[in-house]
Amino acid sequence: ASLADNRVYSLREDGTDHLWVGTLMGGLDRFDETTGKFYHNNLDRPHSIHSNYVPALAEDSAGNLWIGTAYGISVLTRSTGQYVYYTRESSRLSDNVIFSLTCDHKGNMWVATRQGLSVMAPGKDTFQSFSTKDGLPSNMIMSVQEDKQHFLWISSSAGLSRITLTQDGATLGIKCLNFDEYDGLQGREFNVNAGFRTKAGELIFGGAKGFNLFNPESIHLNEHIPPVVLTSLQLYNKDVPLPASITTDNKLVLSYDQNNFTLEFAALSYINPRKDRYAYRLEGFDKDWMTTDGRNRRAAYTNIDPGEYFFHVKASNSDGVWNDKGITLRIIIRPPFWKTTLAYILYALAVLTLLYLGRMRIIRRARARFALDEERRETMRVRELDRMKIKFFTNLSHEFRTPLSLILSPVDKLIRSPEDPGRRHLAMTIERNARRLLHLVNQLLDLRKMEVNELKLNMSGGDIAAFIKATASSFTDLAQERGTNFDYHSEIDQLPALFDKDKLERILFNLLSNAFKFTPPGGTIGVELAALEKDEQGVLLQLEVRDTGIGIPRASQEKIFESFFQADAPGHLRSQGTGIGLAITREFVEMHGGTIKVDSEPDKGSCFTVLLPVTLLPAGSTAPTATVPSAAASPAASPAVAAAATRETSTPAEPPATRFKVLLVEDDDDFRFYLKENLAPLFTVLEAANGQEAWQKTLSGQPDLVVTDVNMPIMNGLELCKKIKRDERVHHIPVILLTALSAEHHQLNALGLGANDYISKPFIVEILISRIRNLLQFRGSVEETARKRVIAQPTEIDEQPEPTDEDFVREAVEVLEKNIANPDFSVDDWSRELGLSRTTLYKKILGATGKTPIGFIRHFRMKRAAQLLEKTRHNVAEVAYMVGFNNPKYFARYFKEVYGVLPSVYQAERRKNR
């Protein structure tokens, strides 16, 4: 009882106050206000409309409802409630696709179609149609409206037209006054059924570039009859002065070599002269009148034979008022004479002139191409120079990561050492500055990603309110150390949402770092979090970072978000910025669809406001709650966060009898020595300085796991990983890659080569040790599972199945044997016959055979098919049906996936060998 289609294309309230709704694909609906229900008229109902597309509705003088569709017109008769149908084939409608319907004051029904304008007079059952031949601007009529003066206005794909009706007996005629963009229209193209007459009598027509609103009564006809004059004469496309004989005697005398001439004329009408119309005829040469408009007011004639002619010109003004008398010019072309030397000279000069102009044009084009090529080469050179600069900074940043790892990891151990508090304080100072250096390195890498559009969001679920609070709280130690008042206030206690944790952490870190940098000791820094707008899907968060620092001059506030911009700092403050932190911050905010702005006043402080739209997680979601960010995962984290994230209890060394063998591949001697010192108490460590040496030690030493750097001489880590994973002797060995390249596409490339894990520098050694342990434990579990797997084989045709020790597999195979020819036998049927749930069956089959239930059934069918092909005389199609395949083509495809050959080839080879 609701609307048949949400895409409503027409509305009409009839004389009985019923609301009719035409839709795109749901047909015609009638809304009953008393019941609040819709009643449907569509193709599915007998004796209803002939199309479900209803773009136009109208009501005639008798109260009948006219329905325009994609297949003619359906008329719902008010007196009988029956439908009457009109189509192009049955009623001479101009086209079956209807755009608009309008009933005029005389009861004539006007129909706008894509092939012209049609009209049906009251009491008639056929249509009369009009097209461009009758003066319409286009055959694609979009809308029809009648004004108070009973003129019809039609919009089309080529402009607007005012139609005056004429009548000759029972036949209607039209006179068209057309308008285009030069009359003030929004454009020549109008939209389907986009027309309306207001109560005040104004007409509105909508098009592709807007709409036109006008009062038809203000459109007056220009009654001025324009005089016609000749304005110029061209001989061989060259202007020549008009001879005096034209103005005195209306006569033009030309010689035999002047029989290519052009006459230009004009109507002395200055209201929209572009729409002036002209009709001309050269009596004695033209059989019919030629017409043209105000943009081409000339008549050109070539190779006219000698003789006497009369040139007639008539004109009309922009509203179609004609000067039928016009003007007449008598033209006499004298007989030809033999060609003279002077004529040949003139021809030669004309040819030479054309050749010269063509040659000059070719030279100009060649020079222009040369200049363009030079410009392109210069652009490419500048672009290559910029690329080399960015590559240099990127490579330099990557080189920084290895020594930073050697600084951060030992310092982390010093911090955890409780022996000497003073020593620990110095270590924390080293760590804080090292992480600061790492933060600058990461900003350079982010800048490079911004240049090449590689920055992407990595959305995940979590409590964004708790995450922001934890990140801000990590600056508490720094505030105490510097004697700064630091305060965090939030109106939100908990808000599960989707967001990029790394980028949000960097946004807050950059803003707080700037605040601490430019706020003197004793100042105040505050963070406020609030929700401005909230609905069921999302919330608009407002994050404010305020400080009482030195402030920002108004002239610099628009520039601080630009890359490498640095405002002048007072002498008592030392600016340690790079000019790219706020640029990256704005980029991260805009990636989330948010905005950032600054409000600042010198010597009073600044307030950075971030508006961030976030998507809420559904109620009851189990998304992880954001906690204190990991220092290893986010190089931008503060020293306090880093220390908290890396405090772990040391694991005692394993007994020598159970120690795993780990191959460590690193070209940096210091870094390799440091990693060996940390891994040696837990594992037997083999060393290699490059990939080639590591490959030899992998083959000879057979390590349990390989840890390798990516960038190395001779053979890099990716090539080493590729060789290990493609060699059957060692492909089972897990590989962990260590690299400073942390971009997603680098990780995807490495994992695509078979790497088991990917760790970005710098990292915490304990994390590396944990990942090594996990991979070795997982490998042991896989091997143990593989040893326990049972290979299920269907019984031979001519043998009785022997009992097996695995009762479950035996019982499962018996069920498959019984149902092997049933193509509809599913995993649900299998689990039902075994008395198990689908989940339990999945776990049991996977644990016993290493295959999923679906894969096991398909593999079992293929085994049975191979037996039948080898030991019976059945053809391939028969075997396919016997093992439960309705389509032999699918059977052949799956069989080839298992045995590598088509079943017909398999059968032929096996029978040949018997």
Side-chain angles (χ1 to χ4, degrees):
S2 183
L3 194 62
D5 191 344
N6 286 338
R7 296 161 294 183
V8 176
Y9 269 46
S10 56
L11 290 168
R12 182 76 184 188
E13 188 176 33
D14 63 14
T16 58
D17 295 333
H18 285 137
L19 179 64
W20 297 87
V21 182
T23 67
L24 175 62
M25 293 299 293
L28 178 66
D29 283 3
R30 179 176 62 83
F31 179 69
D32 191 334
E33 292 185 358
T34 58
T35 63
K37 295 182 179 181
F38 286 88
Y39 297 91
H40 308 304
N41 299 265
N42 50 47
L43 280 174
D44 297 333
R45 298 177 180 272
H47 310 294
S48 185
I49 59 177
H50 282 178
S51 172
N52 284 338
Y53 171 54
V54 182
L57 296 170
E59 190 176 10
D60 62 15
S61 56
N64 302 319
L65 183 65
W66 290 62
I67 306 159
T69 71
Y71 186 63
I73 301 174
S74 301
V75 180
L76 181 59
T77 306
R78 183 173 181 179
S79 58
T80 64
Q82 303 295 320
Y83 281 96
V84 179
Y85 305 101
Y86 300 105
T87 64
R88 179 177 183 178
E89 294 77 15
S90 64
S91 308
R92 292 189 292 179
L93 192 62
S94 58
D95 191 77
N96 283 334
V97 178
I98 310 303
F99 287 162
S100 175
L101 293 167
T102 298
C103 183
D104 65 12
H105 70 290
K106 292 184 178 180
N108 298 316
M109 183 61 68
W110 294 88
V111 185
T113 76
R114 64 179 180 180
Q115 293 294 332
L117 179 66
S118 298
V119 60
M120 178 182 286
K124 301 288 186 179
D125 58 358
T126 58
F127 287 91
Q128 182 181 350
S129 298
F130 306 98
S131 65
T132 53
K133 295 180 180 179
D134 301 291
L136 292 175
S138 170
N139 284 337
M140 185 168 288
I141 310 302
M142 302 302 183
S143 177
V144 182
Q145 297 293 329
E146 184 182 25
D147 64 15
K148 290 183 176 180
Q149 297 172 302
H150 304 312
F151 288 109
L152 287 178
W153 293 81
I154 67 105
S155 61
S156 70
S157 61
L160 200 64
S161 182
R162 189 186 76 174
I163 296 177
T164 303
L165 294 182
T166 63
Q167 192 160 3
D168 184 8
T171 303
L172 292 176
I174 63 173
K175 289 184 179 180
C176 301
L177 180 58
N178 299 328
F179 302 90
D180 55 23
E181 67 272 19
Y182 298 108
D183 297 296
L185 296 185
Q186 51 84 33
R188 294 197 177 189
E189 294 187 3
F190 287 87
N191 292 338
V192 173
N193 207 6
F196 183 70
R197 191 180 82 177
T198 68
K199 291 183 178 180
E202 294 176 321
L203 296 183
I204 306 176
F205 291 95
K209 298 180 180 179
F211 67 87
N212 284 102
L213 170 65
F214 61 94
N215 187 346
E217 296 180 1
S218 66
I219 308 298
H220 300 292
L221 186 66
N222 180 9
E223 301 290 350
H224 173 69
I225 300 176
V228 185
V229 296
L230 294 174
T231 58
S232 68
L233 170 67
Q234 291 183 344
L235 297 177
Y236 294 100
N237 296 326
K238 294 182 179 180
D239 290 330
V240 297
L242 289 173
S245 60
I246 291 182
T247 58
T248 58
D249 301 330
N250 289 334
K251 182 174 68 173
L252 174 64
V253 179
L254 301 173
S255 63
Y256 73 97
D257 58 352
Q258 294 176 329
N259 60 348
N260 293 341
F261 59 90
T262 301
L263 291 168
E264 187 170 323
F265 37 83
L268 303 183
S269 175
Y270 307 109
I271 300 176
N272 202 351
R274 288 175 175 267
K275 295 183 63 177
D276 292 347
R277 302 290 299 175
Y278 299 89
Y280 64 87
R281 175 185 173 212
L282 185 61
E283 185 180 344
F285 181 79
D286 293 326
K287 294 183 179 179
D288 299 314
W289 288 88
M290 312 295 289
T291 60
T292 184
D293 55 23
R295 290 173 293 184
N296 186 22
R297 299 173 291 102
R298 58 178 58 193
Y301 295 96
T302 59
N303 297 325
I304 303 299
D305 293 334
E308 184 177 7
Y309 302 90
F310 292 91
F311 181 68
H312 305 282
V313 182
K314 300 185 296 184
S316 74
N317 61 19
S318 59
D319 287 343
V321 177
W322 282 89
N323 180 350
D324 292 323
K325 182 178 179 181
I327 60 172
T328 300
L329 177 67
R330 179 186 177 195
I331 301 176
I332 299 174
I333 300 179
R334 292 174 179 171
F337 57 92
W338 293 105
K339 296 179 182 179
T340 63
T341 304
L342 180 60
Y344 285 109
I345 294 175
L346 292 175
Y347 298 153
L349 288 175
V351 171
L352 290 175
T353 301
L354 291 176
L355 291 175
Y356 173 77
L357 293 175
R359 177 61 180 169
M360 293 302 296
R361 185 176 183 182
I362 292 173
I363 293 174
R364 285 195 299 270
R365 285 184 176 180
R367 290 176 178 173
R369 283 196 299 268
F370 178 77
L372 182 60
D373 291 340
E374 283 294 312
E375 184 179 350
R376 287 176 179 171
R377 281 192 290 269
E378 179 64 19
T379 302
M380 293 298 295
R381 188 187 68 80
V382 173
R383 186 179 300 171
E384 180 65 18
L385 182 61
D386 291 340
R387 189 189 66 81
M388 291 177 65
K389 290 179 181 178
I390 293 175
K391 183 177 180 182
F392 167 75
F393 282 112
T394 302
N395 293 338
L396 187 63
S397 301
H398 288 160
E399 291 298 325
F400 283 158
R401 285 178 174 248
T402 296
L404 283 173
S405 296
L406 291 174
I407 296 173
L408 291 173
S409 294
V411 166
D412 179 67
K413 287 192 172 183
L414 291 177
I415 293 174
R416 293 198 307 246
S417 175
E419 298 176 358
D420 187 354
R423 182 179 178 187
R424 182 173 181 269
H425 178 74
L426 293 175
M428 290 182 67
T429 302
I430 296 173
E431 186 206 33
R432 181 166 61 251
N433 287 277
R435 292 198 180 278
R436 200 154 136 218
L437 176 60
L438 179 60
H439 176 59
L440 296 177
V441 169
N442 288 330
Q443 284 189 334
L444 283 175
L445 295 177
D446 288 338
L447 180 64
R448 186 258 177 189
K449 292 178 182 178
M450 286 171 56
E451 293 288 339
V452 297
N453 295 322
E454 287 186 356
L455 286 174
K456 296 179 181 178
L457 286 177
N458 184 18
M459 307 296 282
S460 60
D463 189 342
I464 190 171
F467 183 88
I468 293 175
K469 180 179 180 180
T471 304
S473 299
S474 65
F475 283 82
T476 304
D477 293 342
L478 181 60
Q480 293 176 355
E481 179 183 337
R482 300 192 58 176
T484 303
N485 299 318
F486 181 66
D487 177 60
Y488 175 81
H489 175 71
S490 174
E491 299 178 359
I492 310 168
D493 296 328
Q494 186 177 7
L495 189 65
L498 288 175
F499 61 99
D500 189 320
K501 296 180 175 61
D502 176 64
K503 292 180 176 57
L504 181 59
E505 182 182 1
R506 294 209 203 177
I507 291 170
L508 189 55
F509 181 83
N510 283 338
L511 295 178
L512 284 173
S513 295
N514 276 351
F516 277 97
K517 186 186 306 178
F518 297 108
T519 301
T524 301
I525 297 175
V527 178
E528 294 185 7
L529 179 65
L532 299 185
E533 300 175 7
K534 185 174 182 181
D535 54 30
E536 295 181 356
Q537 287 76 31
V539 64
L540 181 63
L541 289 182
Q542 176 177 285
L543 177 64
E544 291 186 350
V545 178
R546 301 177 179 270
D547 64 69
T548 58
I550 62 174
I552 305 170
R554 185 168 300 277
S556 301
Q557 291 181 15
E558 296 296 328
K559 301 179 181 179
I560 61 172
F561 295 107
E562 298 177 1
S563 299
F564 305 112
F565 176 78
Q566 291 177 291
D568 296 331
H572 65 280
L573 289 178
R574 181 179 60 180
S575 175
Q576 299 174 348
T578 60
I580 61 178
L582 288 178
I584 294 173
T585 299
R586 182 177 66 176
E587 182 71 18
F588 287 169
V589 170
E590 291 178 351
M591 287 178 66
H592 281 83
T595 60
I596 182 172
K597 65 178 182 178
V598 61
D599 184 14
S600 181
E601 187 174 347
D603 300 325
K604 291 188 178 180
S606 304
C607 176
F608 286 84
T609 303
V610 176
L611 296 179
L612 206 65
V614 295
T615 301
L616 297 179
L617 291 174
S621 173
T622 58
T625 302
T627 57
V628 178
S630 170
S634 177
S638 69
V641 178
T646 57
R647 293 192 181 102
E648 298 177 357
T649 304
S650 300
T651 304
E654 298 181 16
T658 61
R659 288 163 70 92
F660 289 101
K661 190 185 300 182
V662 176
L663 173 59
L664 182 60
V665 190
E666 171 62 58
D667 60 327
D668 188 291
D669 295 336
D670 292 337
F671 195 43
R672 188 173 70 253
F673 175 77
Y674 173 72
L675 291 178
K676 180 182 178 182
E677 286 294 312
N678 284 272
L679 296 179
L682 304 173
F683 311 103
T684 299
V685 181
L686 304 178
E687 295 183 68
N690 58 66
Q692 185 171 346
E693 180 184 349
W695 172 243
Q696 298 299 328
K697 290 192 176 183
T698 301
L699 295 177
S700 60
Q702 289 289 317
D704 296 293
L705 184 138
V706 176
V707 179
T708 177
D709 191 13
V710 171
N711 294 323
M712 296 184 298
I714 304 178
M715 180 190 295
N716 62 37
L718 294 177
E719 295 173 350
L720 174 61
C721 178
K722 186 177 180 181
K723 288 181 70 71
I724 291 175
K725 294 303 180 181
R726 293 190 177 183
D727 194 300
E728 294 184 357
R729 296 171 291 179
V730 293
H731 68 82
H732 62 281
I733 299 177
V735 178
I736 298 178
L737 295 178
L738 306 179
T739 179
L741 302 173
S742 58
E744 292 180 354
H745 68 274
H746 292 304
Q747 297 185 33
L748 289 174
N749 183 34
L751 296 175
L753 294 176
N756 298 85
D757 208 342
Y758 189 98
I759 301 179
S760 300
K761 297 179 182 178
F763 55 86
I764 304 302
V765 176
E766 283 76 6
I767 293 179
L768 174 62
I769 294 173
S770 297
R771 295 193 179 183
I772 292 175
R773 288 177 181 272
N774 292 339
L775 283 177
L776 291 175
Q777 291 175 2
F778 176 74
R779 176 185 167 190
S781 300
V782 171
E783 292 176 351
E784 182 66 22
T785 302
R787 285 194 295 270
K788 292 181 179 179
R789 285 179 181 167
V790 177
I791 300 176
Q793 181 88 355
T795 58
E796 295 292 338
I797 296 296
D798 52 358
E799 296 180 4
Q800 293 295 327
E802 297 181 0
T804 176
D805 293 336
E806 299 291 341
D807 294 337
F808 169 70
V809 176
R810 174 184 54 76
E811 185 180 356
V813 169
E814 288 178 355
V815 174
L816 287 183
E817 291 272 9
K818 184 174 62 175
N819 295 277
I820 194 169
N822 181 9
D824 299 323
F825 185 72
S826 64
V827 175
D828 291 332
D829 298 330
W830 197 14
S831 62
R832 193 179 301 110
E833 293 202 24
L834 290 173
L836 301 173
S837 68
R838 183 185 179 99
T839 303
T840 303
L841 176 65
Y842 183 93
K843 293 180 179 178
K844 280 181 164 291
I845 292 296
L846 184 64
T849 67
K851 292 183 173 62
T852 63
I854 294 177
F856 184 87
I857 294 174
R858 185 178 298 159
H859 189 76
F860 189 86
R861 292 182 191 273
M862 293 301 102
K863 287 282 189 179
R864 171 62 74 198
Q867 294 174 351
L868 293 172
L869 290 171
E870 180 180 358
K871 297 185 178 182
T872 67
R873 292 294 179 181
H874 296 294
N875 59 34
V876 173
E878 292 172 340
V879 170
Y881 295 126
M882 293 172 69
V883 296
F885 281 84
N886 286 333
N887 192 328
K889 290 184 179 179
Y890 289 136
F891 165 71
R893 187 181 71 183
Y894 289 128
F895 189 91
K896 187 176 180 181
E897 290 179 0
V898 177
Y899 291 97
V901 295
L902 292 172
S904 57
V905 177
Y906 178 89
Q907 186 180 48
E909 290 179 351
R910 292 305 176 102
R911 289 182 179 178
K912 182 178 179 181
N913 295 332
R914 291 180 60 182

